[in-house]
């Protein structure tokens, strides 16, 4: 895996935090100070009063992407899995993740893993560079991710350090799903070898009949849409994959890169609308 094209990608997850009530930092913006008196009357009558104010800083040291796994239960995270390969297309925001499978786990069906590898790559003794599972077992799965939202500027990764909140804007939100492309390869091999992909279905010779085809306006619209979709796919395929280096969560390198989530210029002030309603409206 080449290191020349390595990019920094931060994987984040939401954690529950409790903030201890301590004296507030003196590094507050002028707008917050000016609005304190106006808000004091509302706070006295509120059922959920403000217990503490902390300063907020904007960090711009990383390209942060948020990964979502909609078909993976939250109780089964990928934190402990081995990442064999990681590739990224920054322009189209596409991510490909090769996740290793523990073939020695008692829950892994070795016979089924060998059968899948045999269906995909053929005989075990004829492995080539084009083989998908070179070990003769299905020993990894591929996850593909694409853009979940067109505009992710309203999302940020937050980190609290020394009673200060540091925010890094999320550059993209990617939805990761399993890629079952190896099944297509298995079907092609079965057809080339004259085998049925489903042993329960008898092989029936199709009857050839002459038919008359008429194209309506709806068919033309459908063909135009399909052509547009195919053009978009072809354009995406033109962008080359960039190999990335994966740093396991909790590792020394991961800890080092996580420091980039902290703002390195805390003296710089950001001008915001002092009216809370207008400020929140601008973030929608």
């Amino acid at each position: 895996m080449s290191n020349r094209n390595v990019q920094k990608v931060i994987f984040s997850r939401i954690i529950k935090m409790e903030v201890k009530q301590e004296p507030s930092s003196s590094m507050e913006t002028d707008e917050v100070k000016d609005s304190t008196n106006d808000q004091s009357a509302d706070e006295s009558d509120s059922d959920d009063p403000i217990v503490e104010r902390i300063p907020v800083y904007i960090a711009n040291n990383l390209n942060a992407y948020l990964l979502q796994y909609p078909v993976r239960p939250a109780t089964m995270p990928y934190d402990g899995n081995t990442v064999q390969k990681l590739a990224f297309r920054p322009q189209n925001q596409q991510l490909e993740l090769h996740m290793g499978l523990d073939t020695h786990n008692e829950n892994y069906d070795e016979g089924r893993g060998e059968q899948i590898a045999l269906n995909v790559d053929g005989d075990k003794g004829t492995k080539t560079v084009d083989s998908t599972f070179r070990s003769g077992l299905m020993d990894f799965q591929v996850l593909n991710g694409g853009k979940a939202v067109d505009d992710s500027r309203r999302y940020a990764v937050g980190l609290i350090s020394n009673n200060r909140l540091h925010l890094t804007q999320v550059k993209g939100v990617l939805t990761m799903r399993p890629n079952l492309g190896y099944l297509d390869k298995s079907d092609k091999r079965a057809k080339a070898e004259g085998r049925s992909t489903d042993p329960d279905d008898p092989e029936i010779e199709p009857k050839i009949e002459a038919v008359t085809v008429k194209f309506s306006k709806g068919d033309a619209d459908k063909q135009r849409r399909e052509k547009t979709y195919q053009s978009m796919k072809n354009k995406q395929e033109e962008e080359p994959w960039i190999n990335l280096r994966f740093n396991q969560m909790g590792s020394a390198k991961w800890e080092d890169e996580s420091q980039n989530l902290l703002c390195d210029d805390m003296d710089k002030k950001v001008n915001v609308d002092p009216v809370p309603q207008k400020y929140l409206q601008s973030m929608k």
Side-chain angles (χ1 to χ4, degrees), residues 120-186:
V120 174
D121 297 322
D123 185 53
K124 198 172 184 179
T126 58
K127 298 300 176 186
T128 65
V129 293
D130 296 327
S131 298
T132 302
F133 305 111
R134 301 182 186 179
S135 66
L137 283 173
M138 181 183 176
D139 53 2
F140 70 90
Q141 63 173 330
V142 179
L143 301 179
N144 281 117
K147 284 196 299 185
V149 295
D150 292 329
D151 188 359
S152 60
R153 290 177 298 177
R154 60 184 297 182
Y155 302 101
V157 178
L159 179 64
I160 294 180
S161 176
N162 296 326
N163 206 34
R164 299 182 179 95
L165 176 60
H166 299 258
L167 297 178
T168 299
Q169 180 178 314
V170 171
K171 192 171 184 180
V173 180
L174 307 181
T175 304
M176 306 297 294
R177 290 184 172 87
N179 184 339
L180 305 179
Y182 63 90
L183 294 179
D184 295 333
K185 188 176 179 180
S186 175

Side-chain angles (χ1 to χ4, degrees), residues 227-244:
K227 184 178 180 180
T228 303
Y229 173 76
Q230 189 60 41
S231 299
M232 182 186 66
K233 292 292 292 183
N234 293 338
K235 187 176 181 179
Q236 290 178 348
E237 292 299 327
E238 291 176 359
E239 183 182 4
W241 289 101
I242 298 176
N243 291 327
L244 304 179

Side-chain angles (χ1 to χ4, degrees), residues 40 55 74 96 102 114 121 126 145 186 197 219 226 258-259 278:
S40 58
E96 184 173 280
D102 184 7
E114 288 182 350
D121 297 322
T126 58
S186 175
T197 56
D219 294 330
E226 290 177 349
S258 297
Q259 296 303 309
K278 291 183 178 181

Side-chain angles (χ1 to χ4, degrees), residues 2 12 42 47 55 61 63 74 76 82 85 106 109 115 117 128 143 147 193 208 221 223 238 248 255 262 275:
S2 172
S12 64
D42 295 335
D47 294 332
N61 304 319
N63 291 332
M76 300 175 62
T82 301
K85 182 181 177 182
E106 61 180 5
D109 189 341
Q115 185 62 50
T128 65
L143 301 179
K147 284 196 299 185
E193 296 177 355
I208 300 176
D221 292 339
Q223 288 180 352
E238 291 176 359
Q248 190 63 258
E255 294 285 356
L262 301 177
V275 181

Side-chain angles (χ1 to χ4, degrees), residues 28 79 85 98 107 188 200 207 215 227 238-239:
E28 297 179 346
D79 293 352
K85 182 181 177 182
H98 289 228
N107 296 319
K188 289 181 180 179
D200 296 330
K207 184 179 180 181
F215 293 95
K227 184 178 180 180
E238 291 176 359
E239 183 182 4

